[in-house]
Amino acid sequence: MTKYFKTFTTALFLTGAIVPTLASARPMTPEDLATLKRMGSVSISPDEKWAAYDVTETQPETYERSSALYLLDIDAADATPVRILDAAGKSEHSPAFAPDGSLYYLSDASGSEQLWHADILSGDKVGKPVQASDLKADIAGFKLSQTGKQIALWGDIARDCPTFGCDESGNRAEPGPGTGREYDELFIRHWSSWETPGNYSRIFAFELKDGKIAGEGSALDGDLTGDSPSKPFGGGEEIAWVPGEDGVFFALRVADRNEPKSTNIDIYGAKADGKETVNFTANNKATDTLPAFSSDGEWLAWAAMERPGYEADRLVVKLRKQGSDEDEAIALTKDWDRSVGSIVWTPDNKYLIVTAQDVLDHPAFAVEVATGKVTRLTAEGNVGTTIPLQDGSLIYTMNSLQAPTDIYRRTAGGNVTQLTNINGRELAEIDKVEIKRFNFPGANGDTVWGQIIKPQGATGKLPMAFLVHGGPQSSFGNNWSTRWNPKVMAAQGYAAVTVDFHGSAGYGQKFTDSINQDWGGKPLEDLKLGYAAALKIDPQIDGERSCALGGSYGGYMMNWIAGNWPDRFDCLINHAGVFDLRAMALSTEELWFDQWDHGGNWWSRPNPEKWNPVNKITNWKTPTLFIHGEKDFRIPYTQTIMPFTVSQEMDIPSKLLIFPDENHWVLKGKNSVQWYRTVFDWMDKWTAAGNQESEGE
């Protein structure tokens, strides 16, 4: 087993995955950001020779998107990926190798999202694709059993539907005489969609015969009512087949009137015939998720939170031996003050490969099963998928502030090779940016980290783009984003400054917890101190020309800054920010988030108005751009209509950008370009050198 860890520590920062040096040509544009290719799912063949993955491409003329599958020989030096499956005008995605080396994937080639199957022939040739399912409902995802004889499919299915999709009358509750939806409990809407009463994300198990599903399948939820995978973002990481057996474990949140206030996700197990559904984590009333079995089926690993109602609690890796009781589980990472984001076993079952936010990075780590010892495997960057191989190497995906996601391989000795460069030609035409990390004493004297991102080789003074992350329990770290991208912001001639204030992730759970019931306290102090620290560290930044911008909690902070730091910035940009905490408490959907962060429901909070931006509007005077999506149910768009109205009534220069077809995020290509253009126009207007516009104009 030493092959997995030879020179891990010494090689950590010497051989980290680095994007190759690219030629400097021109600044990055919003159009570049919207049209760069996007890496999707990755699967490795049983013989560990091939990687299959999907890539989404965006047409620069129309911004229409489609995805195709690629095959790459991961052993061949300088191998060229081969585009293997690409139905014209359709999308192929989510590839997964079967034990026999054939490939399953999802495609809308038949008019709906269905399962397809193709044989991998000699070399990189692919046999004729065969549609493997023809179900009445769209398939949202799938997971193959280790034997390849069974498959778990999931999608939105009516609870009273015994099969994977029913006739029209069986897919929704009986409608009334009009168009109204009728509810008698929460959720009524979630993230970006109104709930369809009676419909849930449900898992069905099917037999596989000759590359196709057989029979009508068996629902695995037994007498449970809830979503598995969990909504809105759960996927295959919440589902695990029992090795060598016809059983499936899955994470599910029970749907009842307490659901909007509950983070109690449990891990259940069921036979593939849908019988004997059992709750394996019933004693824990907080989140249990990410089930993963050792290859021999002897051990179940999963991630567990401790505090009910807290979505940003630390996820600790737990281990439970087959046949043991829940209270005998081992808290493997209880002494490691990081929250795990993924779990996979190494082939020899001696280590778990996990990911976790750590300061400004999101690396991969190895956790020794026998001792709980944690070793960092990757250097700077944001690691996503991890696939350990028999030879001790690790296949993983990674992105950074400089480049989107690609596939990398790390040998047992610590050497890293970039296997793909899906945007190599495009990135070669775009200037890189300079990135400098810094830290400073923040609130309570605690160490706070930040970053300065600016155009490479820039001369002269640069105005500041002061970026405040959302969450708030997250990080503005070293990762690629298509929505809040510091590289494209710096490319416009700005020094982008980020600060991971109190409440951010990657610095230990105490630091994350410290924002609780203190939204406008320590974080604002950190931002003020971080602003001053950045100016001291980098004299090229022009502290007299700056614009602050943020979304979600970052948008809340824009409203809070407007009333509590009104003389600092030339402009503000507020995307989907909380303006009135009372209205937020009574209109958001996942009540657990609001109630945990602020100390209960609105009428029971000790001092509910303390951090409410609406109470400081008489101090407002900073020109502000407001942005929101009408389909945002996390922070309803009226939270932006209100402050825009205030600004207009007070004759403060202000502008409103509303997207009728976006949720809490801006996801569509054309909308992304419009978002960035509007943002940059606003920043340029108020931070231009010699700007003499008064606040009342």
Side-chain angles (χ1 to χ4, degrees):
M1 187 53 209
T2 55
K3 65 182 180 181
Y4 275 96
F5 293 97
K6 184 179 179 182
T7 69
F8 263 167
T9 304
T10 57
L12 179 58
F13 292 104
L14 298 177
T15 60
I18 304 298
V19 175
T21 302
L22 304 174
S24 176
R26 60 172 177 78
M28 186 177 179
T29 68
E31 290 80 2
D32 292 325
L33 183 62
T35 57
L36 286 174
K37 300 180 186 71
R38 304 183 184 189
M39 175 79 69
S41 302
V42 180
S43 181
I44 301 298
S45 61
D47 61 5
E48 299 186 347
K49 177 178 176 59
W50 302 99
Y53 58 94
D54 60 86
V55 174
T56 297
E57 297 187 31
T58 303
Q59 298 301 318
E61 299 83 10
T62 63
Y63 293 98
E64 292 181 357
R65 290 176 177 149
S66 62
S67 57
L69 297 188
Y70 289 78
L71 199 63
L72 176 69
D73 185 343
I74 63 175
D75 288 328
D78 301 320
T80 301
V82 177
R83 190 168 178 143
I84 55 172
L85 292 167
D86 181 17
K90 304 298 181 179
S91 287
E92 331 290 339
H93 61 95
S94 306
F97 280 103
D100 64 3
S102 62
L103 197 66
Y104 287 89
Y105 61 98
L106 294 181
S107 173
D108 61 356
S110 66
S112 64
E113 287 288 331
Q114 297 295 324
L115 183 72
W116 288 70
H117 178 252
D119 290 321
I120 306 297
L121 306 178
S122 60
D124 53 12
K125 300 294 188 294
V126 178
K128 182 180 179 180
V130 175
Q131 186 172 340
S133 71
D134 188 15
L135 299 168
K136 292 181 179 179
D138 284 341
I139 299 173
F142 69 94
K143 193 136 226 202
L144 291 164
S145 69
Q146 280 79 354
T147 63
K149 296 178 180 179
Q150 296 166 302
I151 191 170
L153 307 177
W154 61 90
D156 277 0
I157 309 292
R159 185 63 186 84
D160 58 3
C161 183
T163 58
F164 199 94
C166 290
D167 293 333
E168 191 73 12
S169 60
N171 266 333
R172 56 177 58 85
E174 187 67 25
T179 60
R181 305 180 186 92
E182 298 178 14
Y183 302 93
D184 54 16
E185 64 182 26
L186 301 173
F187 288 117
I188 60 172
R189 57 185 186 176
H190 198 182
W191 188 249
S192 61
S193 301
W194 286 90
E195 291 288 293
T196 299
N199 272 27
Y200 301 93
S201 178
R202 301 178 63 201
I203 308 170
F204 284 69
F206 291 84
E207 296 288 329
L208 283 171
K209 293 182 179 180
D210 300 322
K212 296 183 179 181
I213 66 169
E216 294 187 335
S218 301
L220 301 185
D221 45 9
D223 59 358
L224 299 169
T225 298
D227 290 301
S228 181
S230 61
K231 289 186 176 180
F233 305 122
E237 73 284 351
E238 296 184 343
I239 300 170
W241 281 91
V242 181
E245 298 183 15
D246 61 348
V248 182
F249 276 46
F250 54 91
L252 178 143
R253 188 202 315 274
V254 171
D256 55 22
R257 65 183 307 107
N258 189 53
E259 183 183 11
K261 297 191 291 185
S262 172
T263 59
N264 185 23
I265 298 176
D266 282 316
I267 294 175
Y268 297 82
K271 293 290 186 180
D273 59 8
K275 299 177 181 178
E276 301 181 40
T277 302
V278 177
N279 187 344
F280 283 84
T281 58
N283 294 342
N284 183 25
K285 303 306 178 184
T287 293
D288 295 283
T289 188
L290 306 179
F293 280 99
S294 58
S295 62
D296 56 11
E298 283 297 305
W299 290 92
L300 170 69
W302 78 97
M305 294 183 180
E306 182 178 327
R307 290 171 284 184
Y310 186 19
E311 69 175 14
D313 200 11
R314 181 167 63 118
L315 281 164
V316 173
V317 176
K318 289 199 170 184
L319 289 176
R320 179 175 174 180
K321 193 169 186 178
Q322 188 179 54
S324 65
D325 294 329
E326 182 182 352
D327 56 9
E328 297 179 274
I330 301 168
L332 187 65
T333 60
K334 62 182 175 62
D335 296 326
W336 183 43
D337 200 3
R338 293 295 183 266
S339 183
V340 301
S342 63
I343 303 173
V344 294
W345 290 79
T346 56
D348 61 7
N349 298 322
K350 293 185 177 181
Y351 293 84
L352 296 172
I353 305 299
V354 305
T355 57
Q357 188 68 33
D358 187 39
V359 187
L360 295 167
D361 297 305
H362 188 262
F365 299 85
V367 182
E368 189 174 21
V369 172
T371 65
K373 179 183 177 182
V374 179
T375 303
R376 182 168 172 171
L377 304 183
T378 61
E380 295 182 359
N382 175 44
V383 172
T385 300
T386 56
I387 306 173
L389 304 184
Q390 293 284 350
D391 66 357
S393 62
L394 179 69
I395 302 295
Y396 61 96
T397 61
M398 188 186 71
N399 59 58
S400 69
L401 283 168
Q402 293 283 13
T405 300
D406 271 301
I407 303 175
Y408 295 78
R409 183 173 190 163
R410 184 189 189 282
T411 68
N415 295 318
V416 173
T417 303
Q418 184 172 337
L419 299 181
T420 65
N421 194 4
I422 65 172
N423 290 291
R425 183 174 58 184
E426 292 84 357
L427 291 174
E429 300 175 355
I430 297 171
D431 292 339
K432 295 184 73 171
V433 291
E434 295 178 7
I435 303 168
K436 180 184 296 183
R437 299 185 177 195
F438 67 98
N439 63 70
F440 58 93
N444 297 334
D446 297 333
T447 298
V448 176
W449 284 86
Q451 299 175 116
I452 300 171
I453 305 100
K454 61 185 184 180
Q456 192 172 62
T459 58
K461 287 283 191 176
L462 300 174
M464 181 195 297
F466 194 64
L467 304 174
V468 181
H469 71 68
Q473 295 93 352
S474 62
S475 171
F476 228 136
N478 185 19
N479 63 281
W480 187 263
S481 172
T482 57
R483 294 178 293 108
W484 287 84
N485 190 294
K487 181 172 182 175
V488 74
M489 292 181 179
Q492 312 310 306
Y494 289 85
V497 176
T498 71
V499 173
D500 270 5
F501 46 82
H502 276 77
S504 299
Y507 307 91
Q509 195 60 41
K510 181 180 179 182
F511 192 86
T512 300
D513 292 347
S514 65
I515 199 172
N516 186 262
Q517 300 182 57
D518 192 31
W519 267 31
K522 291 186 291 295
L524 179 61
E525 185 177 349
D526 289 340
L527 292 172
K528 289 181 175 180
L529 293 169
Y531 188 100
L535 295 180
K536 184 176 181 180
I537 291 168
D538 192 339
Q540 189 176 24
I541 302 174
D542 186 348
E544 300 305 314
R545 294 187 293 145
S546 62
C547 188
L549 56 164
S552 195
Y553 172 82
Y556 161 87
M557 186 52 70
M558 296 304 104
N559 287 325
W560 192 245
I561 284 173
N564 294 274
W565 198 12
D567 297 314
R568 175 64 277 169
F569 296 99
D570 298 289
C571 63
L572 302 173
I573 297 170
N574 178 344
H575 181 113
V578 177
F579 171 70
D580 184 354
L581 285 173
R582 176 169 60 177
M584 171 70 176
L586 302 177
S587 60
T588 191
E589 16 82 290
E590 291 179 355
L591 298 177
W592 65 72
F593 162 68
D594 182 79
Q595 293 184 7
W596 180 275
D597 269 34
H598 299 295
N601 51 38
W602 179 261
W603 49 91
S604 66
R605 296 175 187 177
N607 192 356
E609 297 287 355
K610 183 176 183 180
W611 306 118
N612 199 348
V614 72
N615 297 321
K616 299 289 187 177
I617 58 176
T618 55
N619 296 336
W620 284 23
K621 59 182 180 179
T622 310
T624 304
L625 167 63
F626 298 95
I627 310 173
H628 218 123
E630 288 186 24
K631 296 175 67 177
D632 186 355
F633 300 148
R634 171 55 43 87
I635 301 178
Y637 71 89
T638 51
Q639 289 282 327
T640 287
I641 300 295
M642 289 187 284
F644 176 65
T645 301
V646 168
S647 297
Q648 289 285 300
E649 287 286 278
M650 296 176 67
D651 288 328
I652 299 171
S654 50
K655 185 173 183 176
L656 174 66
L657 173 60
I658 287 285
F659 292 100
D661 53 349
E662 298 285 4
N663 55 34
H664 197 54
W665 302 332
V666 173
L667 302 175
K668 295 179 171 62
K670 287 183 178 179
N671 291 345
S672 175
V673 171
Q674 183 181 6
W675 189 95
Y676 276 103
R677 286 178 178 173
T678 305
V679 165
F680 294 152
D681 286 347
W682 192 257
M683 293 168 66
D684 292 345
K685 176 178 180 179
W686 297 101
T687 65
N691 181 6
Q692 299 298 316
E693 294 191 68
S694 69
E695 293 163 355
E697 291 181 351

